[in-house]
Amino acid sequence: MKATKRIADATQESLHRIFTVAEAPDSTLGLIEQEMSQNLVGFLNNHIVASENALTDIEQDFIDAQIPEQPAFVSDHMSHLLDKLVSQSVHTSSPSFVGHMTSALPSFILPLSKLMVGLNQNLVKVETSKAFTPLERQVLGMMHNLVYQETSDFYQNWMHSAQHSLGAFCSGGTVANITALWVARNKLLKADGDFKGVARSGLFAALQHYGYQGLAILVSERGHYSLKKSADILGLGQDSVIAIPTDENNKIDCIKLAQKCDELAAKNIKVLSIVGVAGTTETGNIDPLNAMADIAEQHQCHFHVDAAWGGATLLSNKYRPLLAGVERADSVTIDAHKQMYVPMGAGVVIFKDPSSVAAIEHHAEYILRKGSKDLGSHTLEGSRPGMAMLVYSSLHIISRPGYEMLINQAIEKAEYFADIINQHPDFELITKPELCLLTYRYAPKSVQELLANQGKNNDVAGQQHINLLLGKLTKFIQKRQREDGKSFVSRTRIEVGHYNGEKVIVFRVVLANPLTTKEILQDILVEQSKLALESEQFLPELLAAANTK
Amino acid sequence: MKATKRIADATQESLHRIFTVAEAPDSTLGLIEQEMSQNLVGFLNNHIVASENALTDIEQDFIDAQIPEQPAFVSDHMSHLLDKLVSQSVHTSSPSFVGHMTSALPSFILPLSKLMVGLNQNLVKVETSKAFTPLERQVLGMMHNLVYQETSDFYQNWMHSAQHSLGAFCSGGTVANITALWVARNKLLKADGDFKGVARSGLFAALQHYGYQGLAILVSERGHYSLKKSADILGLGQDSVIAIPTDENNKIDCIKLAQKCDELAAKNIKVLSIVGVAGTTETGNIDPLNAMADIAEQHQCHFHVDAAWGGATLLSNKYRPLLAGVERADSVTIDAHKQMYVPMGAGVVIFKDPSSVAAIEHHAEYILRKGSKDLGSHTLEGSRPGMAMLVYSSLHIISRPGYEMLINQAIEKAEYFADIINQHPDFELITKPELCLLTYRYAPKSVQELLANQGKNNDVAGQQHINLLLGKLTKFIQKRQREDGKSFVSRTRIEVGHYNGEKVIVFRVVLANPLTTKEILQDILVEQSKLALESEQFLPELLAAANTK
């Protein structure tokens, strides 16, 4: 009995230590932290293994659903993490990994994140976040300013007003888009006479009251999948998202958009929102926002811009005009964890009208009391971390001109990459960069000539056959390159105008990492050319087809 | 021209440095980090000012909506953050701040968070998270196991299956609750004959197809406000959430619940979900889950348990029986950032049936392809950080018996606090602790006797008058205590059975912080007694009333 008590005491002592005594600087964890702090990219280069293991193999290390009955020593557990987790994670900050929207992080971010975690504020209410609440409101003000450039009086009036909010901070672009459409839905189907509004009475009663046959969300066929998800969650149904065709530059066809609006109006289907894309996920193109705003005005519907990727471009005075018209949007989504170089988990949705959020206001007895400045009364999420601090610090330390430099460089790097692809006889540029994204594929010169000839002869079937083979080759190269682990480009399927809108498999690159050099881009083409030669099936077949034309 | 180029080069150089060169250990940021690493609680004690400033004063430091045109030196910015932000943040880990659900963090969490941020994985897809995907699936498996205790075969079969998921990791309990009810809604209103299901065709068509007059969500009046928010977002409307009265222990009255179900059925309103609360936010009480499961079975509706707070109690073999019946729930919400001592931003929803998530499945061309193991196809959020790692590490380092000790101690500490409140003549325990939460108020002995007498004489108006005054006194004490900054209890308004269900203002404490000692709890009562005497209006008025009875 006494022995049991001694063990219990010892465990209690060690539990208490866990909460009070820091790891020693020369402990495993301390040493790892130092290595990481001194040189993050080097640390990741050392610990992430280059060659890829199959996911099913990795799963074998994460197979036990039992919660451990024995505590692990911190040092042992750290070795385990390095061995099984870190080694098999993705080197998102590697300058030769140009297929992701996650990039390298500024080095000041790591200690700042630690501070944020250590403070462990909960932004849902002032009571657990105090100065973080005005800080987040200021960040929302800055992002609003970035989009709408209102007067300083405007920000003075609304930024810290309890009943208003210039936007909502959230975990990412998907929640931002849901929030924007939630606001749009609740504003459209607001209380009216006996009807208490969709927020209280639901969609069924709302559509009955307003007499609509249905609602629709109109977006180009390049729109992000989160819009369909939003429509599902909000009770509108995925089919209410109507994909409008794009032109050869992946921009929405505004004539078709206007036609669809008229068509829906004739059927008594109300357009809930037109959604402009400012930086498509696959090609980085930006919709003609001004023309879309005209159509939205004409049909008196909400105009949302999904600038999750492209919003950061507004920080560049040089490239800002690419998003002309964004200031006419009712709401705008921007992800700070994309081209604002903040870690994962930082999205915002900004509202032109500071009182928009009233449509989604929620109160409770113990928090979010009416009149409080609690951020949680206007957000989809409840408890949330103080990620806004990292955006705040980045905006101050990097500053707008610093961001402009990063964004301009990224776009110019993409233009350089497009140039060397164009100059290379065996590569075909599929979509040229408007922002820092482009798509291309490996296609030997003779095969490109064959495709051109087939085009002239209207040999659609012939082109399809060749594109299918090229697609298999692209997939082969991309997969091998990823497995070799030296560099990484992603791959997607997109409709290509000059191949009759056929869906074609392509390499996709995102050149946001400031550490990516021209040499790295040249090397990627060299590596891909070599890998193509290793394809024992598709390349010979393609070359044979080209020779017998 | 040359000078401009030199400036541009210099700025470019410094931008490059930001991404490559770590802050020196003896830089401001380096020193702050060291201080924080060595002793987090000490660091916070040193830097957070004790006395509270008014929020409107703090706002003056966060007033500028302009994005800076000049970069700040990291060291200057750090001083600014310490001065304006950290100093005015909330000391969530202070052992004498017992009013929050955010508590102290184990010391290994800080370096691990840094590792997580540095790796900057995006859990939406395997391509940007690799080993983090099986890791998160394992964590969901462990949490499923914690609730449902299935066989190891079960976990072998489903944990890593592409078409299945044992739950969804998310930023917090609100998103978890929305996800659970989203699944419930889509399963209930599934495709049927010509009808394509609510996910595709929306709620309006769904209710028409199924011929329901409406849907309802039934939860006790102590249910979390996020349920109304969920009902709003999901298009059901807040009024579809029906609050069922509770008994004197803040537990749902199952007779009234069953009656309401019958009543709704008679009106052709389908119960979408019955929601059990396992740890109410205000009092920590747990609904009779088994009896609720019976009613849900009888009415063939979804049974969700919101165990955002109380779910961690399942880690304690001793107190697990308090949640008996949770294993009969179709879905369960648990927040790891509450009593699992993980930083803000870690919630989970667990599904009994691994194929439940098919109801909310989403796919896209470039990611979340069908058959992939991408986590993003089954989550409300899109891009998400690797927070699951912190849960994984905590479960390994603390282990189940370690958690049991933390949870048992917290409950026993609450029982101790209840004892000293009961023994103190001038304090009144309002709700006794079932978990580690309780509510109480300052009420001098003579005033308590007056209330008791009024009760005997059915003097409802008299009681109301006294309770109103006591409420004002409670508010006064709580506010002063918070402003003094030595300790913190929160405050709420709850209906109290023995005062005819009157809503009464009370102190609320959450005793989850392992560093809170018995001495601290004793001191809190001493401090509150002193503060009561400083009330120049309410206390004398109360004492006078008690003396003239």
Side-chain angles (χ1 to χ4, degrees):
Chain A
M1 195 58 186
K2 261 190 183 164
T4 320
K5 189 172 178 311
R6 268 207 305 279
I7 292 168
D9 284 350
T11 323
Q12 190 158 335
E13 165 68 18
S14 66
L15 263 181
H16 194 262
R17 281 176 61 85
I18 277 186
F19 282 87
T20 48
V21 183
E23 294 301 308
D26 60 348
S27 67
T28 312
L29 188 49
L31 292 173
I32 288 170
E33 205 190 335
Q34 275 173 48
E35 191 191 342
M36 189 166 60
S37 300
Q38 278 153 23
N39 178 358
L40 177 65
V41 175
F43 170 85
L44 297 175
N45 287 343
N46 288 343
H47 290 281
I48 298 179
V49 298
S51 61
E52 184 176 272
N53 284 355
L55 189 61
T56 43
D57 289 341
I58 300 174
E59 280 167 2
Q60 297 312 308
D61 293 322
F62 300 95
I63 210 77
D64 192 356
Q66 289 292 326
I67 295 175
E69 283 289 326
Q70 288 293 331
F73 285 109
V74 174
S75 52
D76 292 346
H77 183 70
M78 278 316 297
S79 308
H80 164 78
L81 283 185
L82 283 184
D83 187 29
K84 303 298 187 189
L85 181 71
V86 178
S87 67
Q88 300 296 332
S89 58
V90 179
H91 196 335
T92 53
S93 62
S94 165
S96 57
F97 279 41
V98 293
H100 303 135
M101 288 187 155
T102 15
S103 142
L105 296 171
S107 52
F108 62 82
I109 283 290
L110 281 198
L112 277 182
S113 305
K114 197 167 153 181
L115 178 61
M116 183 201 80
V117 171
L119 287 167
N120 205 24
Q121 306 291 290
N122 180 353
L123 280 271
V124 72
K125 50 181 174 167
V126 174
E127 198 181 272
T128 50
S129 62
K130 226 155 63 178
F132 272 73
T133 295
L135 174 135
E136 185 169 296
R137 282 180 173 269
Q138 186 184 5
V139 169
L140 291 171
M142 287 174 158
M143 298 302 287
H144 190 284
N145 203 343
L146 180 65
V147 175
Y148 296 108
Q149 305 181 308
E150 295 283 357
T151 62
S152 64
D153 272 1
F154 176 94
Y155 295 105
Q156 197 93 46
N157 286 341
W158 308 122
M159 202 156 72
H160 294 290
S161 160
Q163 283 76 36
H164 299 83
S165 187
L166 300 177
F169 205 95
C170 50
S171 65
T174 296
V175 174
N177 281 340
I178 298 171
T179 305
L181 294 171
W182 179 24
V183 164
R185 190 199 67 184
N186 286 13
K187 281 181 85 167
L188 175 68
L189 306 173
K190 59 178 183 289
D192 172 44
D194 282 347
F195 175 62
K196 290 174 188 160
V198 66
R200 285 194 54 185
S201 302
L203 256 182
F204 190 60
L207 291 189
Q208 280 176 327
H209 175 81
Y210 281 100
Y212 296 130
Q213 276 303 307
L215 302 177
I217 295 166
L218 271 49
V219 64
S220 98
E221 54 193 354
R222 294 278 181 277
H224 193 254
Y225 73 94
S226 61
L227 296 168
K228 281 201 173 183
K229 201 196 268 187
S230 305
D232 173 0
I233 292 173
L234 293 170
L236 313 168
Q238 294 165 32
D239 291 352
S240 70
V241 179
I242 298 176
I244 308 294
T246 46
D247 64 16
E248 67 285 1
N249 292 320
N250 303 294
K251 292 165 187 282
I252 196 167
D253 181 331
C254 278
I255 295 170
K256 289 186 179 142
L257 173 63
Q259 279 168 352
K260 183 55 79 176
C261 285
D262 293 337
E263 207 180 285
L264 291 168
K267 287 194 218 161
N268 191 27
I269 294 173
K270 173 71 191 166
V271 177
L272 170 65
S273 180
I274 290 176
V275 180
V277 185
T280 70
T281 318
E282 284 150 301
T283 62
N285 293 109
I286 299 159
D287 279 338
L289 302 179
N290 260 320
M292 295 180 84
D294 290 341
I295 299 172
E297 249 170 42
Q298 196 189 325
H299 287 269
Q300 297 196 347
C301 69
H302 190 96
F303 179 36
H304 175 64
V305 173
D306 181 356
W309 178 260
T313 313
L314 296 167
L315 291 157
S316 160
N317 290 343
K318 181 172 176 186
Y319 291 106
R320 183 182 175 94
L322 291 175
L323 280 86
V326 69
E327 71 286 353
R328 296 172 64 191
D330 297 297
S331 54
V332 179
T333 290
I334 302 177
D335 266 344
H337 61 220
K338 293 200 167 89
Q339 228 187 334
M340 287 178 71
Y341 304 96
V342 165
M344 198 48 58
V348 290
V349 56
I350 301 299
F351 293 102
K352 182 174 201 160
D353 174 359
S355 55
S356 282
V357 291
I360 58 166
E361 210 164 71
H362 281 256
H363 296 284
E365 189 64 76
Y366 54 105
I367 58 160
L368 321 182
R369 298 180 184 100
K370 273 188 187 166
S372 83
K373 295 188 175 184
D374 295 339
L375 291 159
S377 50
H378 301 132
T379 56
L380 183 147
E381 293 165 279
S383 298
R384 280 185 305 114
M387 286 295 289
M389 181 187 116
L390 301 184
V391 182
Y392 176 87
S393 293
S394 298
L395 285 169
H396 280 86
I397 295 172
I398 299 178
S399 81
R400 195 209 51 77
Y403 272 116
E404 161 137 32
M405 203 166 283
L406 289 168
I407 283 155
N408 295 359
Q409 281 176 5
I411 295 177
E412 285 146 23
K413 211 178 289 170
E415 285 165 356
Y416 169 80
F417 197 36
D419 281 347
I420 63 171
I421 289 167
N422 272 328
Q423 282 158 24
H424 197 298
D426 296 339
F427 282 93
E428 183 186 9
L429 185 70
I430 301 290
T431 56
K432 57 174 192 272
E434 185 172 7
L435 298 178
C436 68
L437 280 77
L438 61 81
T439 63
Y440 69 107
R441 64 179 176 180
Y442 179 85
K445 191 165 188 272
S446 59
V447 177
Q448 289 188 53
E449 285 166 359
L450 171 61
L451 279 167
N453 270 329
Q454 288 170 329
K456 274 182 215 146
N457 303 332
N458 285 322
D459 179 7
V460 176
Q463 272 192 337
Q464 270 177 353
H465 174 69
I466 297 299
N467 277 327
L468 207 74
L469 275 175
L470 281 171
K472 286 178 180 171
L473 181 60
T474 308
K475 216 165 154 177
F476 170 85
I477 297 172
Q478 192 266 350
K479 198 160 170 279
R480 284 292 295 274
Q481 192 172 15
R482 193 187 71 204
E483 285 164 357
D484 287 354
K486 253 176 52 194
S487 54
F488 172 78
V489 304
S490 52
R491 126 179 95 80
T492 188
R493 273 178 78 211
I494 52 169
E495 289 164 22
V496 179
H498 58 275
Y499 296 131
N500 314 299
E502 202 184 315
K503 280 215 167 188
V504 161
I505 296 179
V506 293
F507 303 128
R508 162 179 170 272
V509 295
V510 185
L511 293 171
N513 191 328
L515 306 180
T516 304
T517 59
K518 292 183 176 178
E519 292 67 39
I520 287 174
L521 297 176
Q522 292 156 10
D523 288 349
I524 284 175
L525 295 189
V526 171
E527 192 188 1
Q528 291 183 325
S529 301
K530 268 194 205 148
L531 288 172
L533 298 178
E534 288 176 24
S535 144
E536 285 169 13
Q537 193 190 342
F538 313 124
L539 185 60
E541 222 173 299
L542 279 162
L543 294 174
N547 285 334
T548 57
K549 71 187 162 192
Chain B
M1 198 57 187
K2 262 191 181 162
T4 320
K5 189 172 179 309
R6 266 208 305 278
I7 292 168
D9 285 351
T11 323
Q12 190 158 334
E13 165 68 18
S14 67
L15 263 181
H16 195 261
R17 281 177 60 86
I18 277 186
F19 282 88
T20 49
V21 182
E23 294 302 307
D26 60 348
S27 67
T28 311
L29 188 48
L31 292 173
I32 288 171
E33 205 190 336
Q34 274 173 48
E35 190 191 342
M36 189 166 58
S37 300
Q38 277 153 23
N39 178 358
L40 177 65
V41 175
F43 170 85
L44 297 175
N45 286 342
N46 289 343
H47 291 280
I48 299 179
V49 298
S51 62
E52 185 176 272
N53 283 356
L55 190 60
T56 44
D57 290 340
I58 300 175
E59 280 167 2
Q60 297 312 309
D61 294 321
F62 299 95
I63 210 78
D64 191 356
Q66 290 291 327
I67 295 175
E69 283 288 326
Q70 289 293 330
F73 285 108
V74 174
S75 53
D76 292 348
H77 184 70
M78 279 315 298
S79 308
H80 165 79
L81 284 185
L82 283 185
D83 187 30
K84 303 298 186 190
L85 181 72
V86 178
S87 67
Q88 301 295 333
S89 59
V90 179
H91 197 336
T92 53
S93 63
S94 165
S96 57
F97 278 42
V98 293
H100 303 135
M101 288 186 156
T102 16
S103 142
L105 297 171
S107 52
F108 62 83
I109 283 289
L110 282 197
L112 277 181
S113 304
K114 197 166 153 183
L115 178 61
M116 183 201 80
V117 171
L119 286 167
N120 204 24
Q121 306 290 290
N122 180 352
L123 280 273
V124 70
K125 51 181 172 167
V126 174
E127 199 180 272
T128 51
S129 63
K130 226 154 63 177
F132 272 74
T133 295
L135 173 136
E136 184 169 296
R137 283 180 173 269
Q138 186 184 4
V139 169
L140 291 171
M142 286 172 159
M143 298 303 287
H144 191 285
N145 203 342
L146 179 64
V147 176
Y148 296 108
Q149 304 182 308
E150 295 282 356
T151 63
S152 64
D153 271 2
F154 176 94
Y155 295 104
Q156 196 93 48
N157 286 340
W158 309 121
M159 201 156 72
H160 294 290
S161 159
Q163 283 77 35
H164 299 82
S165 186
L166 299 177
F169 205 95
C170 49
S171 65
T174 297
V175 174
N177 281 340
I178 299 171
T179 306
L181 293 171
W182 179 24
V183 165
R185 189 199 68 183
N186 286 12
K187 282 182 84 167
L188 175 68
L189 305 173
K190 60 177 183 291
D192 171 44
D194 282 348
F195 175 62
K196 289 175 188 159
V198 66
R200 285 194 54 186
S201 302
L203 255 183
F204 191 60
L207 291 189
Q208 281 176 327
H209 175 81
Y210 280 100
Y212 296 130
Q213 276 303 308
L215 301 177
I217 295 166
L218 271 49
V219 63
S220 98
E221 54 193 357
R222 294 278 181 278
H224 192 254
Y225 74 95
S226 62
L227 296 168
K228 281 201 172 182
K229 201 196 268 186
S230 305
D232 173 1
I233 293 173
L234 294 169
L236 311 168
Q238 294 165 31
D239 290 352
S240 69
V241 178
I242 298 175
I244 307 294
T246 46
D247 64 17
E248 67 285 1
N249 291 319
N250 302 294
K251 294 166 185 281
I252 195 166
D253 181 330
C254 279
I255 294 169
K256 290 185 179 142
L257 172 64
Q259 279 169 351
K260 183 55 80 177
C261 285
D262 292 338
E263 207 180 285
L264 292 169
K267 287 195 218 161
N268 191 27
I269 294 173
K270 173 70 191 169
V271 177
L272 170 64
S273 180
I274 289 175
V275 180
V277 186
T280 71
T281 318
E282 285 149 300
T283 62
N285 293 108
I286 299 160
D287 279 338
L289 303 179
N290 260 319
M292 295 180 84
D294 289 341
I295 298 172
E297 249 169 43
Q298 196 191 324
H299 287 269
Q300 296 197 347
C301 70
H302 190 97
F303 179 37
H304 175 63
V305 173
D306 182 355
W309 177 260
T313 313
L314 295 167
L315 290 157
S316 159
N317 290 343
K318 180 172 176 186
Y319 291 106
R320 183 182 174 97
L322 291 176
L323 279 85
V326 69
E327 71 286 354
R328 295 172 65 191
D330 296 296
S331 55
V332 179
T333 290
I334 301 177
D335 266 345
H337 61 219
K338 293 200 167 90
Q339 227 186 335
M340 286 177 72
Y341 303 96
V342 165
M344 200 45 62
V348 291
V349 54
I350 300 298
F351 294 103
K352 182 174 201 160
D353 174 357
S355 55
S356 282
V357 290
I360 58 166
E361 208 164 73
H362 280 257
H363 295 286
E365 189 63 75
Y366 54 104
I367 57 160
L368 321 182
R369 298 180 184 102
K370 274 190 186 162
S372 82
K373 295 187 174 182
D374 294 339
L375 291 159
S377 51
H378 301 132
T379 55
L380 183 147
E381 292 165 279
S383 298
R384 281 186 302 115
M387 287 295 289
M389 181 187 115
L390 301 184
V391 182
Y392 176 86
S393 293
S394 299
L395 285 170
H396 279 86
I397 294 173
I398 299 177
S399 80
R400 195 209 51 77
Y403 272 116
E404 162 138 30
M405 203 166 282
L406 290 169
I407 284 156
N408 294 359
Q409 280 175 5
I411 294 177
E412 284 146 23
K413 213 178 287 169
E415 285 164 356
Y416 168 81
F417 196 37
D419 280 348
I420 63 172
I421 289 167
N422 272 329
Q423 282 159 24
H424 197 298
D426 296 338
F427 283 92
E428 183 187 9
L429 185 70
I430 301 291
T431 56
K432 57 173 191 275
E434 185 171 7
L435 298 178
C436 67
L437 279 78
L438 61 82
T439 64
Y440 69 106
R441 63 180 176 180
Y442 179 85
K445 191 163 187 274
S446 59
V447 177
Q448 290 188 52
E449 285 166 357
L450 171 61
L451 278 166
N453 270 329
Q454 289 170 328
K456 272 184 219 148
N457 302 332
N458 285 322
D459 178 6
V460 176
Q463 272 193 336
Q464 270 177 352
H465 175 68
I466 297 298
N467 277 328
L468 208 72
L469 276 175
L470 281 172
K472 287 177 180 173
L473 182 60
T474 307
K475 218 166 153 175
F476 171 85
I477 298 172
Q478 193 265 352
K479 199 161 169 281
R480 284 292 295 275
Q481 192 172 15
R482 194 187 71 204
E483 285 164 358
D484 289 353
K486 252 177 53 195
S487 53
F488 172 78
V489 304
S490 51
R491 126 179 95 79
T492 189
R493 272 177 79 212
I494 52 168
E495 290 164 20
V496 180
H498 58 273
Y499 296 130
N500 315 297
E502 202 183 315
K503 279 214 169 190
V504 160
I505 296 180
V506 293
F507 303 128
R508 162 180 170 272
V509 295
V510 184
L511 294 170
N513 190 328
L515 306 180
T516 305
T517 60
K518 292 182 175 177
E519 291 68 39
I520 288 174
L521 297 176
Q522 292 157 9
D523 288 349
I524 284 174
L525 295 190
V526 171
E527 192 187 1
Q528 291 182 325
S529 301
K530 269 193 204 147
L531 288 172
L533 298 180
E534 290 176 22
S535 144
E536 285 170 11
Q537 193 189 344
F538 312 124
L539 186 60
E541 221 173 301
L542 279 162
L543 293 174
N547 285 334
T548 58
K549 71 188 159 186

